[in-house]
Amino acid sequence: MTGITNVTVLGTGVLGSQIAYQAAYHGFSVVAYDIDDAALDKAKVQFGKLVKVYTQQVEGAADGKAEAALERITLSSNLKEAVQAADLVIEAVPENLDIKRDTYTKIGGFAPAHTIFATNSSTLLPSDFMDSTGRPEKFLALHFANQIWVRNTAEVMGTSKTDPAVYRTVVDFASAIGMVPIELKKEQPGYVLNSLLVPFLDAAGLLLVDGIADPEMIDKTWRIATGAPLGPCQIYDIIGLTTPYNIASQGNEDQRRLAAFLKENYIDKGKLGISTGEGLYKYPKS
Amino acid sequence: MTGITNVTVLGTGVLGSQIAYQAAYHGFSVVAYDIDDAALDKAKVQFGKLVKVYTQQVEGAADGKAEAALERITLSSNLKEAVQAADLVIEAVPENLDIKRDTYTKIGGFAPAHTIFATNSSTLLPSDFMDSTGRPEKFLALHFANQIWVRNTAEVMGTSKTDPAVYRTVVDFASAIGMVPIELKKEQPGYVLNSLLVPFLDAAGLLLVDGIADPEMIDKTWRIATGAPLGPCQIYDIIGLTTPYNIASQGNEDQRRLAAFLKENYIDKGKLGISTGEGLYKYPKS
């Protein structure tokens, strides 16, 4: 038992809508909040798509379970109402420190004292805005990956002020919605996954920048040596080149060389990865 | 057709003996050279072990093919005789620049003019000693991984002076002995595999050093996110911690922190990985 029944997800973008749907799918009562009716109309479309995706891809979802999840989601564009019955608020608003701080200041006043706040921020550290929450001991990061139903890690990361009991509750909640909780003992920019993935993709990218080897050769080497199904260049194309480009643009000299290479040879030509039919590889139209 | 019939392997250490055996297994006539009879006696033991390993693990090797390979291997401790009929010499002598240069100066005089020289060096660049060969256009790197019969990559890396036709011949030879050739277009320290693996393992190691997460959490994250069968901490234990330690010791500040951590917590305690029953994980005795 986690003591959590009512979950509010703030922000219904790509990941926010997946989080809300995943929690509802696993039986939680969910409020999905976004700033206005236009955003909520988009959210409805997203939820409808997720019903189809889960029905096709998630075991046991085909017998009406995917549709039933929708009945447990309430849409709201009223922040106060959205959080007033929440046991857990998962925040997935834009990655902007001012927006985050403003959101936490508001919900710190609106939500009951027992409510736990969790941020899904990928690039900011929870300690950057914990004081805005008014309840830093009940605040931590709970970080999901895109395509939550397949890549079902939930990285749980507290600050120095997070109550260990709150941390455990959120770990248990993550398990309860079908995620594999990844427990971080301290704050770490990039959590575990991006701390591994970014240097790995950088290394592969630099082999391309320096003209050492082709994507095929790089990927083949990795697959044979480690038994992995995918090499780094295949992973680039799945993620899409824009995110690695954005991260590399803000990095050290080597990373900026990589960013320039990705921009000139791929991004400026609309080759963003699998989603556009071409990235480091070409994908035949099916 | 590669035009290669007779292969001489210089050095019968762990990898040298595997290379010699693999070439013989695939029908080539092989001379295995080492410095004295004591070294060659050890080589015989190695070849005997490889017969058993191939018989058990390599498809088609059980019907006498593994034993038959031994008949195609001639042992020699006479360097001049060892190379005088070679079409290809694969050098796997110790990773010491003076030893490499001395070896190439000698075989440059002993071997026929058409003989191709390939170094299996992991840590030195072929251009560091190409001039000692007296035939830089017929010289390049051909780099194998341990357990050649499973991890069957052969990284082919020329210098600026390597004749492209020689490069193609060696790529074809690698295929002919059952390897997947990885074609590098330029020199790169660490080739492709270690250029990917070292930063990846460093990143995982630093998460341990900084107390961010346990090996289990790190590996679980990687496996779920990428579909790989092994996380980085499992790979550490398979490789053994000594090699990553040696590489990290010579690196930047973060890498030296990692080296000190590996030494203090693992290497000094005899926890070197799977081979010793404990590394980042404990392995129950079976």
Side-chain angles (χ1 to χ4, degrees), chain A residues 168-185:
Chain A
R168 296 310 319 163
T169 297
V170 172
V171 167
D172 292 345
F173 167 77
S175 296
I177 63 166
M179 308 305 290
V180 177
I182 303 298
E183 301 178 30
L184 282 81
K185 298 183 228 170

Side-chain angles (χ1 to χ4, degrees), chain B residues 102-117:
Chain B
D102 180 56
T103 302
Y104 281 107
T105 303
K106 284 177 180 158
I107 65 170
F110 295 152
H114 80 278
T115 309
I116 295 171
F117 294 169

